[in-house]
């Protein structure tokens, strides 16, 4: 018989179901509070736990050269319920892991319901949890019910919980043509923490600008869902193509204005400029400033590769605008996903600023493990940043650059740019032959994936003999409860 008091998980989606499973498997009782079917969201259709609201794909299952495939592999090693149910209900989909959505959700629901340490409570938590819940994980997702999101906002402060995302594309530094772009901040201003050469600038001539505007206007767009269209967010962050529709020069006087910039190749100010800003502490990812967009993903790649310097750009994230609910996690959460201001409250899933079913479940897995370890008086170091799990965790709890401008923290999928670069880049393949462009990129991913699994195994072995220090946590809040 267990003597621990229960941990409460709010939200039985991808993250909450995984968190509850990890807690129960660690021998700690858990109450999973899910509001469906009593209160539905705008996107969910059933009362099943871990319902997939749109596509039925967990994306690539290839662990050696695909970052989400690597995340699958790591989660399998950690006894993930979401991956186990996905594997049992998989459908033919080439290299992707696609699942039968009903069978998958039923499997997750049945396994949790059958677990002796899991209680499922069908109720909305419509405000801050009661005072006797001393360890809580909030995993209520992009469509968190308004009463709870208002309570969270009151706790975190105005402006720290977003109700929509406005995502500009992010690309890998090594895919940008550095013979065309140059580093410079407008008027060489250093600002707080800058050097005066903080942006990468892509110059455009008049002809290039006109052709780009034509392509933006003609590009195929995705439409807002009916329930998204009423979200009043447009004027603050217009999609780039909507700005272009307002006048051919709107962008040239907006995010593409060339003022304060001199192209070293010509010694002159270009006609227009696309600026890229560093997105992560490693400096491997760069985002397109002001380029939030509703263009279809294929169209984004095609249109944005017209920009000088970006012809070969590899995108780590493409742009979008959606109804969403997410915290400014790098500022608010500690390394174990606890709210710094109220450490009895953890967050997991999309509400922490990750994007996608698998990433949400991955953060649920870690939140569940952290909460269970804490309840048992054990300590658990975060997984190393060289693993996909560790990289995702450190991106949302600190890896993203906080001072990169207002609302700069936007939801992110797992990608190799979040992992620390290799100490030495591969030049030759296994058979000793010199590697060329794309081959070198593939080999790099392969080496990073192998490093990840080997580091994960070492971390798991170490975690089995609980370490004395929760690395990276503020000692003042370590082990603190409500
Ligand atoms: C319309 C839409 C389409 C998407 N399509 C895709 C896609 O195709 N592929 C992809 O990878 N990702 C997609 N996403 C993102 C996807 O939602 C997340 O990746 C994932 O479901 C998030 O997992 P989560 O556990 O954080 O939230 P969810 O899976 O949404 O789970 C949150 C749960 O919390 C419950 N809840 C909310 N508030 C309360 C409350 N106050 N009390 C109790 N319960 C509550 C909800 O009912 C829900 O069951 C989509 C998102 C949306 C909104």
């Amino acid at each position: 018989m267990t003597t621990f008091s229960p941990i409460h998980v709010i939200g039985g989606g991808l993250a909450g179901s995984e968190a509850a499973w990890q807690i129960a498997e660690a021998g700690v009782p858990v109450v999973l509070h899910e509001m469906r079917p009593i209160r539905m969201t705008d996107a969910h259709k059933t009362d099943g736990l871990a319902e997939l609201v749109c596509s039925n794909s967990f994306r690539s299952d290839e662990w050696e050269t695909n970052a989400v495939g690597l995340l699958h592999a790591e989660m399998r090693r950690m006894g993930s319920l979401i991956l186990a149910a996905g594997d049992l209900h998989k459908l033919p989909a080439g290299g992707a892991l696609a699942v039968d959505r009903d069978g998958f959700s039923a499997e997750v629901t049945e396994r949790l319901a059958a677990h002796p340490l899991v209680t499922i409570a069908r109720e909305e938590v419509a405000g801050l949890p009661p005072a006797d819940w001393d360890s809580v994980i909030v995993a209520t997702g992009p469509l968190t019910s308004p009463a709870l999101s208002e309570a969270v906002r009151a706790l975190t402060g105005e402006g720290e919980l977003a109700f929509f995302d406005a995502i500009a594309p992010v690309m890998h530094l090594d895919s940008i043509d550095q013979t065309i772009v140059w580093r410079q901040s407008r008027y060489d201003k250093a600002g707080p923490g800058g050097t005066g050469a903080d942006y990468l600038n892509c110059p455009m001539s008049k002809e290039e600008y006109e052709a780009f505007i034509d392509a933006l206007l003609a590009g195929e767009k995705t439409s807002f869902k009916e329930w998204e269209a009423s979200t009043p967010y447009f004027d603050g962050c217009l999609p780039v193509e909507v700005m272009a529709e307002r006048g051919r020069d709107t962008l040239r006087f907006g995010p593409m204005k060339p003022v304060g910039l001199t192209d070293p190749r010509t010694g002159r100010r270009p006609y227009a400029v696309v600026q890229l800003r560093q997105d992560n502490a490693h400096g491997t990812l760069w985002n397109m400033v002001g380029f939030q967009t509703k263009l279809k993903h294929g169209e984004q790649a095609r249109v944005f590769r017209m920009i000088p310097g970006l012809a070969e750009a590899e995108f780590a994230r493409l742009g979008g605008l959606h109804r969403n609910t997410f915290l400014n996690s790098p500022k608010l959460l500690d390394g174990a996903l606890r709210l710094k201001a109220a450490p009895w409250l953890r967050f997991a899933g999309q509400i922490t600023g990750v994007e996608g079913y698998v990433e949400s479940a991955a953060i649920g897995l870690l939140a569940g493990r952290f909460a269970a370890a804490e309840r048992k008086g054990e300590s658990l170091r975060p997984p190393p940043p060289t693993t996909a799990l560790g990289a995702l965790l450190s991106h949302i709890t600190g890896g993203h650059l906080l001072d990169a401008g207002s609302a700069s923290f936007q939801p992110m999928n797992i990608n190799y740019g979040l992992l620390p670069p290799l100490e030495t880049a591969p030049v030759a393949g296994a058979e000793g032959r010199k590697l060329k462009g794309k081959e070198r990129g593939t080999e790099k991913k392969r080496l990073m994936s192998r490093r990840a699994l080997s580091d994960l195994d070492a971390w798991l072995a170490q975690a089995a003999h609980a370490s004395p220090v929760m690395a990276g946590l503020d000692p003042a809040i370590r082990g603190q409860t409500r």
Side-chain angles (χ1 to χ4, degrees):
M1 263 301 273
T2 171
T3 53
F4 300 117
S5 54
I7 293 170
H8 294 264
V9 177
I10 310 175
L14 277 296
S17 299
E18 184 66 61
W21 180 257
Q22 295 289 331
I23 293 166
E25 286 289 277
V28 175
V30 54
V31 185
L32 179 58
H33 305 262
E34 169 51 57
M35 68 179 185
R36 290 176 291 118
I38 292 152
R39 186 186 173 117
M40 298 300 283
T41 74
D42 283 316
H44 291 81
K45 304 264 185 298
T46 74
D47 63 0
L49 299 179
E51 177 183 335
L52 304 178
V53 290
C54 188
S55 140
N56 64 334
S57 173
F58 290 165
R59 317 199 312 273
S60 174
D61 200 33
E62 208 288 289
W63 72 269
E64 270 199 297
T65 54
N66 189 290
V68 79
L70 173 63
L71 193 56
H72 293 174
E74 294 184 8
M75 291 171 73
R76 286 190 183 103
R77 283 177 192 219
M78 294 187 66
S80 160
L81 171 64
I82 295 302
L83 263 294
D87 287 338
L88 264 179
H89 293 277
K90 71 175 169 219
L91 299 172
L97 175 57
V99 305
D100 172 321
R101 67 178 72 239
D102 295 329
F104 165 77
S105 168
E107 184 79 33
V108 173
T109 309
E110 281 157 24
R111 287 215 200 178
L112 282 166
H115 201 294
L117 292 178
V118 178
T119 305
I120 300 172
R122 297 285 183 170
E123 63 194 8
E124 178 189 1
V125 178
L128 279 190
D132 60 338
W133 297 9
D134 68 346
S135 176
V136 181
I137 298 176
V138 178
T140 43
L143 306 173
T144 296
S145 74
L148 181 59
S149 53
E150 273 312 318
V152 170
R153 188 153 78 150
L155 195 63
T156 56
E158 189 78 20
E160 305 295 3
L161 182 74
F163 293 103
F164 58 92
D165 54 39
I167 302 177
V170 170
M171 66 204 76
H172 295 273
L173 177 68
D174 56 12
S175 68
I176 300 169
D177 187 340
Q178 309 266 346
T179 64
I180 297 177
V181 306
W182 79 99
R183 285 182 190 253
Q184 186 183 11
S185 306
R186 277 187 213 288
Y187 302 107
D188 304 307
K189 275 191 192 149
T195 63
D198 299 323
Y199 290 78
L200 291 176
N201 300 285
C202 311
M204 274 191 194
S205 64
K206 185 170 191 314
E207 296 67 39
E208 285 163 340
Y209 178 79
E210 295 296 341
F212 179 67
I213 297 294
D214 286 341
L216 261 187
L217 294 174
E220 228 188 312
K221 285 106 191 158
T222 50
S223 50
F224 286 100
K225 300 198 168 39
E226 202 187 314
W227 46 270
E228 285 182 314
S230 58
T231 307
Y233 49 74
F234 288 114
D235 273 352
C237 53
L238 283 177
V240 66
E241 62 278 3
V242 174
M243 278 191 254
E245 274 164 18
R246 291 191 170 179
R248 293 190 72 86
D249 280 333
T250 305
L251 281 171
R252 212 164 65 79
F253 289 98
M256 294 178 69
K257 61 178 180 281
V259 296
L261 297 167
T262 307
D263 183 347
R265 290 188 310 161
T266 61
R268 287 197 309 273
R269 182 163 104 178
Y271 188 74
V273 157
V274 173
Q275 286 203 299
L276 310 178
R277 183 170 53 210
Q278 188 175 333
D279 200 73
N280 65 338
H282 297 309
T284 47
L285 298 176
W286 289 71
N287 71 61
M288 297 175 70
V289 181
F291 269 68
Q292 56 274 4
T293 176
K294 289 289 280 181
L295 281 180
K296 288 198 162 163
H297 279 180
E299 290 286 81
Q300 289 186 37
R302 183 180 67 77
V303 174
F304 297 149
R305 285 187 185 127
M306 290 171 68
I307 298 170
L310 304 188
E312 305 286 332
E314 294 278 344
F315 294 95
R317 173 179 84 190
L318 284 161
L321 267 99
H322 314 95
R323 168 82 180 79
N324 201 348
T325 313
F326 65 100
L327 294 167
N328 188 6
S329 297
K331 181 172 166 194
L332 299 174
L333 301 186
D334 71 17
L337 296 162
R338 298 179 297 192
L339 198 63
K340 290 175 190 163
W344 51 274
L345 202 54
R346 276 191 165 76
F347 286 84
Q350 185 136 333
I351 200 167
T352 63
V354 294
E355 170 74 27
Y357 301 144
V358 183
E359 289 84 343
S360 297
I363 295 299
L365 184 154
L366 291 175
R369 289 222 170 188
F370 283 133
E374 197 174 81
R375 179 60 100 219
K376 290 161 81 179
E378 295 170 3
S379 53
L380 181 65
R381 286 173 188 274
T386 46
T387 63
L389 279 161
L392 204 53
L393 177 70
S394 50
H395 181 72
I396 57 172
T397 59
H400 173 79
L401 290 184
L402 255 189
D403 55 359
S406 64
S408 72
F409 180 65
Q410 292 290 326
M412 183 64 107
N413 285 124
I414 185 66
N415 63 80
Y416 284 102
L418 298 184
L419 277 68
L422 295 166
E423 275 169 26
T424 19
V427 282
E431 67 288 3
R433 188 171 53 82
K434 191 157 189 263
L435 296 169
K436 296 196 211 91
K438 237 194 161 83
E439 281 179 328
R440 201 159 50 231
T442 307
E443 185 58 16
K444 213 164 86 177
K445 290 177 181 168
R446 197 170 280 133
L447 292 173
M448 286 170 107
S449 288
R450 289 188 189 149
R451 177 182 69 177
L453 289 190
S454 138
D455 288 358
L456 185 80
D457 286 345
W459 175 74
L460 283 172
Q462 197 188 31
H465 313 279
S467 61
V469 186
M470 285 182 89
L473 298 188
D474 178 353
I477 57 170
R478 201 179 293 148
Q480 195 173 321
T481 52
R482 198 170 182 177

